[in-house]
Amino acid sequence: MLKNKTVIVTGAAKGIGRAIALRFAKEGCNIVLNYRSNVSDELIEEIKSYGVECLPFKADVSVYSEAETLIKESKKHFGSVDVLVNNAGITRDMLLMRMSEDEFDSVINTNLKGTFNTIRHVSSVMLKQKSGAIINLSSVVGLMGNVGQANYAASKAGVIGLTKSTARELAARGITCNAIAPGFIETDMTAVLKDDVKEAMLNTIPLKKFGQVEDIAEAAVFLAKNRYITGQVLNVDGGMVMN
Protein backbone atom coordinates (compact mmCIF):
# COMPACT_ATOMS: atom_id res chain seq x y z
CA MET A 1 0.00 0.00 0.00
CA LEU A 2 2.86 2.38 0.76
CA LYS A 3 5.40 0.94 -1.69
CA ASN A 4 7.03 3.61 -3.89
CA LYS A 5 5.35 6.43 -1.97
CA THR A 6 7.33 9.52 -0.97
CA VAL A 7 7.64 10.20 2.76
CA ILE A 8 9.14 13.32 4.32
CA VAL A 9 10.30 12.90 7.92
CA THR A 10 11.44 16.07 9.68
CA GLY A 11 14.06 15.87 12.42
CA ALA A 12 14.98 12.43 11.12
CA ALA A 13 18.68 12.25 12.03
CA LYS A 14 18.19 10.35 15.28
CA GLY A 15 15.75 9.07 17.88
CA ILE A 16 12.09 8.79 16.96
CA GLY A 17 12.56 10.47 13.58
CA ARG A 18 15.28 8.01 12.61
CA ALA A 19 13.11 5.04 13.58
CA ILE A 20 10.16 6.42 11.60
CA ALA A 21 12.29 6.95 8.49
CA LEU A 22 13.65 3.40 8.66
CA ARG A 23 10.20 1.91 9.23
CA PHE A 24 8.74 3.65 6.17
CA ALA A 25 11.78 2.56 4.14
CA LYS A 26 11.03 -1.01 5.18
CA GLU A 27 7.56 -0.50 3.68
CA GLY A 28 9.21 0.37 0.36
CA CYS A 29 8.86 4.14 0.60
CA ASN A 30 11.32 6.68 -0.77
CA ILE A 31 12.50 8.85 2.11
CA VAL A 32 13.23 12.57 2.36
CA LEU A 33 15.49 12.67 5.39
CA ASN A 34 15.21 16.15 6.85
CA TYR A 35 17.77 17.33 9.41
CA ARG A 36 18.97 20.65 10.83
CA SER A 37 22.63 20.08 11.73
CA ASN A 38 23.98 16.79 10.42
CA VAL A 39 23.00 13.26 9.49
CA SER A 40 25.12 10.11 9.37
CA ASP A 41 26.08 8.36 6.15
CA GLU A 42 25.32 5.13 8.00
CA LEU A 43 21.64 6.06 8.33
CA ILE A 44 21.40 7.03 4.67
CA GLU A 45 22.92 3.72 3.60
CA GLU A 46 20.67 1.76 5.98
CA ILE A 47 17.61 3.37 4.41
CA LYS A 48 18.91 2.59 0.91
CA SER A 49 19.50 -1.02 1.91
CA TYR A 50 15.74 -1.53 1.68
CA GLY A 51 15.92 -0.85 -2.04
CA VAL A 52 14.49 2.66 -1.82
CA GLU A 53 15.83 6.11 -2.56
CA CYS A 54 16.92 8.47 0.22
CA LEU A 55 17.16 12.24 -0.22
CA PRO A 56 18.97 13.88 2.72
CA PHE A 57 17.79 17.48 3.03
CA LYS A 58 19.16 20.04 5.44
CA ALA A 59 16.54 22.58 6.50
CA ASP A 60 15.37 24.32 9.65
CA VAL A 61 11.61 23.86 9.47
CA SER A 62 11.05 26.68 11.99
CA VAL A 63 12.09 29.02 9.16
CA TYR A 64 9.15 29.48 6.79
CA SER A 65 11.25 29.78 3.62
CA GLU A 66 13.37 26.72 4.45
CA ALA A 67 10.26 24.62 5.06
CA GLU A 68 8.94 25.80 1.70
CA THR A 69 12.16 24.77 -0.03
CA LEU A 70 12.06 21.36 1.67
CA ILE A 71 8.59 20.65 0.29
CA LYS A 72 9.25 22.06 -3.16
CA GLU A 73 12.50 20.17 -3.68
CA SER A 74 10.98 16.93 -2.39
CA LYS A 75 8.12 17.26 -4.87
CA LYS A 76 10.53 18.17 -7.66
CA HIS A 77 12.80 15.20 -6.96
CA PHE A 78 10.18 12.46 -6.46
CA GLY A 79 7.16 13.86 -8.28
CA SER A 80 4.85 13.63 -5.27
CA VAL A 81 4.70 13.98 -1.52
CA ASP A 82 2.48 11.25 -0.12
CA VAL A 83 3.24 11.33 3.60
CA LEU A 84 4.58 14.12 5.80
CA VAL A 85 5.73 13.23 9.31
CA ASN A 86 6.35 16.30 11.46
CA ASN A 87 8.77 14.98 14.04
CA ALA A 88 11.26 17.86 14.45
CA GLY A 89 11.19 19.11 18.02
CA ILE A 90 13.31 20.50 20.83
CA THR A 91 13.08 20.99 24.60
CA ARG A 92 14.29 23.87 26.73
CA ASP A 93 13.06 22.77 30.13
CA MET A 94 12.85 25.32 32.93
CA LEU A 95 10.40 26.24 35.68
CA LEU A 96 7.89 28.78 34.43
CA MET A 97 9.02 31.56 36.79
CA ARG A 98 12.62 31.17 35.57
CA MET A 99 11.94 30.55 31.90
CA SER A 100 13.41 33.12 29.54
CA GLU A 101 11.59 34.53 26.54
CA ASP A 102 14.08 32.81 24.25
CA GLU A 103 13.53 29.43 25.94
CA PHE A 104 9.80 29.79 25.34
CA ASP A 105 10.01 31.17 21.81
CA SER A 106 12.58 28.68 20.50
CA VAL A 107 10.46 25.69 21.53
CA ILE A 108 7.26 27.19 20.10
CA ASN A 109 9.06 28.12 16.87
CA THR A 110 10.44 24.65 16.22
CA ASN A 111 7.70 22.41 17.61
CA LEU A 112 4.57 24.35 16.64
CA LYS A 113 5.48 26.90 13.99
CA GLY A 114 7.75 24.37 12.27
CA THR A 115 4.79 22.00 12.02
CA PHE A 116 2.61 24.77 10.63
CA ASN A 117 5.28 25.74 8.11
CA THR A 118 5.57 22.30 6.54
CA ILE A 119 1.80 21.72 6.55
CA ARG A 120 1.24 25.11 4.96
CA HIS A 121 3.50 24.24 2.04
CA VAL A 122 2.66 20.55 1.63
CA SER A 123 -1.08 21.18 1.62
CA SER A 124 -1.05 22.67 -1.88
CA VAL A 125 0.85 19.63 -3.19
CA MET A 126 -1.52 17.16 -1.56
CA LEU A 127 -4.63 19.10 -2.59
CA LYS A 128 -3.57 18.84 -6.24
CA GLN A 129 -2.90 15.11 -5.77
CA LYS A 130 -6.22 14.69 -3.93
CA SER A 131 -4.41 12.40 -1.54
CA GLY A 132 -1.90 12.41 1.29
CA ALA A 133 -1.33 11.74 4.96
CA ILE A 134 0.04 14.20 7.51
CA ILE A 135 1.24 12.85 10.84
CA ASN A 136 2.27 15.26 13.58
CA LEU A 137 4.26 14.32 16.67
CA SER A 138 2.62 15.74 19.78
CA SER A 139 3.19 14.42 23.32
CA VAL A 140 1.28 13.28 26.38
CA VAL A 141 2.73 16.44 27.95
CA GLY A 142 0.52 18.40 25.56
CA LEU A 143 -2.49 16.62 27.07
CA MET A 144 -1.60 16.66 30.77
CA GLY A 145 1.12 19.30 31.24
CA ASN A 146 4.35 18.81 33.15
CA VAL A 147 6.39 20.72 35.69
CA GLY A 148 9.25 22.59 34.04
CA GLN A 149 7.85 22.14 30.54
CA ALA A 150 5.34 24.96 30.07
CA ASN A 151 6.91 25.82 26.71
CA TYR A 152 7.02 22.21 25.50
CA ALA A 153 3.49 21.45 26.73
CA ALA A 154 2.13 24.59 25.05
CA SER A 155 3.81 23.69 21.77
CA LYS A 156 2.54 20.12 21.79
CA ALA A 157 -0.98 21.12 22.81
CA GLY A 158 -0.88 23.58 19.92
CA VAL A 159 0.11 20.77 17.56
CA ILE A 160 -3.08 18.93 18.55
CA GLY A 161 -5.26 21.95 17.74
CA LEU A 162 -3.40 22.44 14.47
CA THR A 163 -3.89 18.76 13.62
CA LYS A 164 -7.64 18.86 14.13
CA SER A 165 -8.07 22.08 12.14
CA THR A 166 -5.92 20.74 9.30
CA ALA A 167 -7.91 17.50 9.25
CA ARG A 168 -11.17 19.43 8.83
CA GLU A 169 -9.83 21.71 6.11
CA LEU A 170 -8.23 19.00 3.95
CA ALA A 171 -10.61 16.09 4.43
CA ALA A 172 -12.73 16.89 1.37
CA ARG A 173 -9.74 16.08 -0.87
CA GLY A 174 -9.03 12.75 0.78
CA ILE A 175 -6.12 14.01 2.91
CA THR A 176 -5.83 12.77 6.48
CA CYS A 177 -4.11 14.52 9.37
CA ASN A 178 -3.50 12.88 12.73
CA ALA A 179 -1.24 13.27 15.73
CA ILE A 180 0.76 10.79 17.77
CA ALA A 181 1.25 11.56 21.45
CA PRO A 182 4.23 9.56 22.73
CA GLY A 183 4.67 8.93 26.41
CA PHE A 184 8.07 8.20 27.95
CA ILE A 185 10.14 6.86 25.05
CA GLU A 186 13.74 5.75 25.53
CA THR A 187 15.89 8.12 23.42
CA ASP A 188 19.08 10.13 23.82
CA MET A 189 16.91 12.95 25.14
CA THR A 190 15.52 10.86 28.00
CA ALA A 191 18.74 8.95 28.67
CA VAL A 192 20.23 11.94 30.51
CA LEU A 193 17.48 11.99 33.14
CA LYS A 194 18.38 10.97 36.68
CA ASP A 195 17.40 7.49 37.87
CA ASP A 196 14.97 8.84 40.48
CA VAL A 197 13.16 10.85 37.80
CA LYS A 198 12.91 7.78 35.60
CA GLU A 199 11.60 5.72 38.51
CA ALA A 200 8.94 8.31 39.27
CA MET A 201 7.89 8.31 35.61
CA LEU A 202 7.76 4.50 35.52
CA ASN A 203 5.30 4.52 38.42
CA THR A 204 2.84 6.54 36.31
CA ILE A 205 2.83 3.99 33.47
CA PRO A 206 0.30 1.14 33.87
CA LEU A 207 2.34 -1.17 31.59
CA LYS A 208 5.35 -0.57 33.88
CA LYS A 209 7.84 -0.14 31.07
CA PHE A 210 9.16 2.63 28.87
CA GLY A 211 8.33 2.83 25.18
CA GLN A 212 10.75 2.30 22.33
CA VAL A 213 11.21 4.45 19.24
CA GLU A 214 9.93 1.53 17.16
CA ASP A 215 6.56 1.79 18.94
CA ILE A 216 6.12 5.31 17.57
CA ALA A 217 7.32 4.28 14.12
CA GLU A 218 4.72 1.51 13.96
CA ALA A 219 1.99 3.99 14.90
CA ALA A 220 3.10 6.37 12.15
CA VAL A 221 2.94 3.64 9.49
CA PHE A 222 -0.49 2.58 10.75
CA LEU A 223 -1.86 6.12 10.43
CA ALA A 224 -0.32 6.52 6.97
CA LYS A 225 -2.01 3.35 5.76
CA ASN A 226 -5.46 4.00 7.19
CA ARG A 227 -7.55 6.27 4.97
CA TYR A 228 -10.52 6.55 7.34
CA ILE A 229 -8.85 7.94 10.45
CA THR A 230 -8.39 11.70 10.61
CA GLY A 231 -8.30 14.45 13.22
CA GLN A 232 -7.33 11.99 15.96
CA VAL A 233 -4.64 11.86 18.64
CA LEU A 234 -3.14 8.40 19.09
CA ASN A 235 -1.57 8.03 22.52
CA VAL A 236 1.40 5.66 22.49
CA ASP A 237 2.20 5.90 26.17
CA GLY A 238 1.78 2.56 27.96
CA GLY A 239 -1.48 3.83 29.45
CA MET A 240 -0.21 7.06 31.04
CA VAL A 241 -3.14 9.07 29.70
CA MET A 242 -6.51 7.38 29.44
CA ASN A 243 -9.28 9.53 28.01
Side-chain angles (χ1 to χ4, degrees), residues 14-195:
K14 58 183 180 180
I16 290 174
R18 181 182 187 277
I20 290 173
L22 286 168
R23 185 63 184 82
F24 274 103
K26 189 176 180 180
E27 288 288 322
C29 300
N30 295 315
I31 306 297
V32 180
L33 198 67
N34 165 249
Y35 62 100
R36 186 167 66 173
S37 54
N38 57 71
V39 65
S40 70
D41 292 336
E42 179 185 0
L43 174 56
I44 295 169
E45 291 306 313
E46 188 173 356
I47 288 172
K48 289 180 178 179
S49 72
Y50 289 103
V52 302
E53 191 172 346
C54 179
L55 176 66
F57 201 100
K58 184 176 183 178
D60 183 348
V61 295
S62 71
V63 179
Y64 188 83
S65 59
E66 292 192 29
E68 181 179 24
T69 302
L70 168 64
I71 301 301
K72 282 186 174 180
E73 290 302 314
S74 298
K75 169 67 165 62
K76 181 179 178 181
H77 187 87
F78 288 112
S80 68
V81 177
D82 303 293
V83 180
L84 168 66
V85 182
N86 281 306
N87 168 75
I90 62 171
T91 58
R92 295 288 185 272
D93 295 352
M94 182 60 64
L95 291 174
L96 180 61
M97 295 302 294
R98 297 178 182 175
M99 187 176 292
S100 68
E101 182 179 13
D102 180 67
E103 286 168 337
F104 185 85
D105 288 349
S106 60
V107 171
I108 295 294
N109 285 340
T110 296
N111 300 5
L112 180 55
K113 187 171 183 290
T115 300
F116 162 77
N117 287 343
T118 55
I119 292 175
R120 168 65 178 79
H121 296 300
V122 86
S123 59
S124 60
V125 175
M126 291 183 172
L127 285 169
K128 289 178 182 177
Q129 296 173 173
K130 295 184 180 180
S131 67
I134 300 170
I135 301 162
N136 302 321
L137 269 293
S138 180
S139 170
V140 293
V141 173
L143 295 167
M144 58 190 286
N146 196 30
V147 174
Q149 289 192 307
N151 48 3
Y152 188 74
S155 72
K156 293 302 187 178
V159 165
I160 291 173
L162 177 59
T163 297
K164 292 178 179 292
S165 295
T166 300
R168 289 186 180 276
E169 289 193 24
L170 303 184
R173 291 294 184 94
I175 301 162
T176 63
C177 184
N178 293 286
I180 298 172
F184 193 108
I185 307 299
E186 290 188 331
T187 64
D188 291 344
M189 189 182 296
T190 58
V192 299
L193 296 175
K194 294 180 179 178
D195 289 341

